[in-house]
Amino acid sequence: MKIVIAGGSIAGLSSALTLGCIGHDVHVYERSDVPLRGKGGGVAVLRHMMKFLEQHGHYTQHMISVPTIMRRRIDINGDVLTEEPEKLPFSSWDTVYRSLCAMLPKDRISYGQEVVGFTEHDKGIEIDLDRGESVSADILVAADGIGSRTRAKLFPNYESRFAGYVAWRGIVDESAFSPQEVEALVNNFTMFRDPGHMFMAFLIPGLDGSLAPGRRRFNWLWYRNEADVAAMHRHLTDDHGHQHHASISPGHLSTESFEELCELATRHLPVTFQQLVRETRAPFFQSIFDALSPSFSVGRVALIGDAACTVRPHTASGTSKAADDAVALAEALSSNTEFHVEQVLALWAASRREAVGRLLVKGPELAASFGLGSTDT
Ligand SMILES: Cc1cc2nc3c(=O)[nH]c(=O)nc-3n(C[C@H](O)[C@H](O)[C@H](O)COP(=O)(O)OP(=O)(O)OC[C@H]3O[C@@H](n4cnc5c(N)ncnc54)[C@H](O)[C@@H]3O)c2cc1C
């Protein structure tokens, strides 16, 4: 079958790989003019994504992640409150993204082309691109993220929901500090919590994928409850005055937001974490939203990754869920040949929607246990 994929991030690339693997003719259209390099933060590479990378690209965990040794919680003075052994495979969004890009033949993806609409007919689906061009396919896979335009067309009345808290995030080179300054953070997953906010930091690979001491980077995340929606919109306005739906990418915070972040850090964080924030050249901002598409398929359209359902970051499963969606979709489309394509997609969609149920419950529960988010989630 000919399959068009809208969106060339983790979900889009994963599905291009799995569907290509079983012989379908796939093509990805990504609206960004260039590959998305350098834009993401740290990610925990969970079992399913790791298995996916091992099977498709022969990557192994030690090639792409910096494991932690201890999970530590510190107080405002930097003293250790609790400490327990925990081996978490932290990598970076970039490393996972680059691994997936390296596996996909280059002629299978077009950059700078946005999917703007589609029309279904008896024998297939016609997909419209932003420059007036259109392409025919048997299936459209919508991997266009939390603000999915495809989902909006299918379900115009559906809206994702603000979870009541935001995340300030950043990445800073390990080499920006003397070894003594960051000794306590290396090898550890370090957290600081106070009512209404939680800060965490851990090491991830360097931008070139390097795992060597001194060439790695610290990733930090600072979740903060945000009851003031006007303040959130202010932080979602970039350095050019454009308002965004859910996030501001690295390097595009307004000067006012950046100054407010530094001022908040000075007032509320232990000194080591203040240093991480201050040394970060391009912090970024994300509002935490919950999204669950009313259905993961309609006719010949399948929604995957964040377009189908966005889970809370505490479950550390956004990329793994995207890989699971892609594997399950390929499994469905390699069997069930006695069914019509719409039926196959409907069966796949129902089973994936059920499968994510556990994560949808676990995310808000974890957030609540950290004192994050609105209580009605
Ligand atoms: C730049 C970036 C950085 C990220 N960093 C992290 C991170 O550090 N940690 C973490 O846990 N998660 C991160 N995420 C989210 C994480 O990648 C996702 O939860 C998960 O990987 C599933 O993503 P996705 O591919 O479904 O959606 P997304 O990653 O949101 O990708 C959607 C893609 O679709 C493209 N697109 C949107 N609309 C259209 C359209 N109409 N036509 C064509 N293309 C379109 C977008 O440009 C984007 O590339 C990041 C996402 C992005 C885009």
Side-chain angles (χ1 to χ4, degrees), residues 362-375:
K362 190 177 162 198
E365 275 176 7
L366 281 171
S369 73
F370 302 139
L372 295 171
S374 35
T375 46

Side-chain angles (χ1 to χ4, degrees), residues 60-226:
T60 60
Q61 196 158 299
H62 76 269
M63 287 164 75
I64 68 160
S65 63
V66 186
T68 56
I69 295 175
M70 290 288 187
R71 174 193 282 260
R72 273 186 171 165
R73 190 168 157 205
I74 60 172
D75 66 14
I76 191 76
N77 302 313
D79 295 327
V80 178
L81 290 174
T82 57
E83 178 172 68
E84 59 196 75
E86 185 157 36
K87 204 169 169 207
L88 290 165
F90 282 119
S91 186
S92 68
W93 185 89
D94 273 307
T95 306
V96 176
Y97 172 76
R98 208 177 24 238
S99 310
L100 293 171
C101 279
M103 296 179 234
L104 187 73
K106 297 218 171 350
D107 61 351
R108 295 281 151 189
I109 182 159
S110 302
Y111 292 98
Q113 300 220 39
E114 184 169 357
V115 170
V116 292
F118 56 87
T119 316
E120 251 190 88
H121 48 82
D122 281 356
K123 297 213 162 54
I125 182 162
E126 204 64 24
I127 293 130
D128 305 319
L129 304 172
D130 57 341
R131 293 179 197 158
E133 213 186 309
S134 74
V135 284
S136 305
D138 296 293
I139 292 176
L140 168 63
V141 174
D144 47 355
I146 186 169
S148 172
R149 193 167 179 159
T150 316
R151 188 183 65 219
K153 182 170 155 84
L154 293 171
F155 305 105
N157 296 324
Y158 177 77
E159 277 183 23
S160 52
R161 184 166 167 280
F162 177 51
Y165 59 110
V166 300
W168 296 91
R169 306 180 60 179
I171 294 182
V172 54
D173 290 342
E174 188 183 1
S175 61
F177 308 95
S178 70
Q180 294 76 12
E181 277 175 311
V182 288
E183 196 179 11
L185 298 181
V186 172
N187 296 332
N188 296 322
F189 172 54
T190 314
M191 287 170 68
F192 167 71
R193 253 163 62 191
D194 244 358
H197 71 125
M198 175 167 77
F199 191 100
M200 53 182 73
F202 48 87
L203 275 175
I204 61 171
L207 190 55
D208 61 356
S210 176
L211 304 177
R215 300 188 57 189
R216 303 166 296 189
R217 298 171 296 166
F218 283 108
N219 178 73
W220 58 263
L221 288 113
W222 191 10
Y223 294 109
R224 291 181 58 81
N225 282 344
E226 186 56 89

Side-chain angles (χ1 to χ4, degrees), residues 235-273:
H235 297 314
L236 282 170
T237 306
D238 69 20
D239 51 349
H240 289 103
H242 298 137
Q243 171 108 38
H244 296 258
H245 167 68
S247 62
I248 298 286
S249 48
H252 293 288
L253 277 187
S254 67
T255 313
E256 296 74 32
S257 289
F258 185 62
E259 282 168 0
E260 193 170 328
L261 166 66
C262 292
E263 195 261 320
L264 285 170
T266 309
R267 260 195 292 145
H268 297 289
L269 294 178
V271 172
T272 338
F273 289 160

Side-chain angles (χ1 to χ4, degrees), residues 5-13 29-32 36 39-44 92-93 113-116 143-150 169 219 249 284 286 304-307 310 313 316-320 322:
I5 299 168
S9 179
I10 307 293
L13 294 173
Y29 291 94
E30 165 55 48
R31 77 174 167 197
S32 163
L36 305 163
K39 294 197 173 168
V43 279
S92 68
W93 185 89
Q113 300 220 39
E114 184 169 357
V115 170
V116 292
D144 47 355
I146 186 169
S148 172
R149 193 167 179 159
T150 316
R169 306 180 60 179
N219 178 73
S249 48
F284 51 118
Q286 289 177 329
I304 64 165
D306 284 7
T310 305
S317 51
T319 60
S320 288

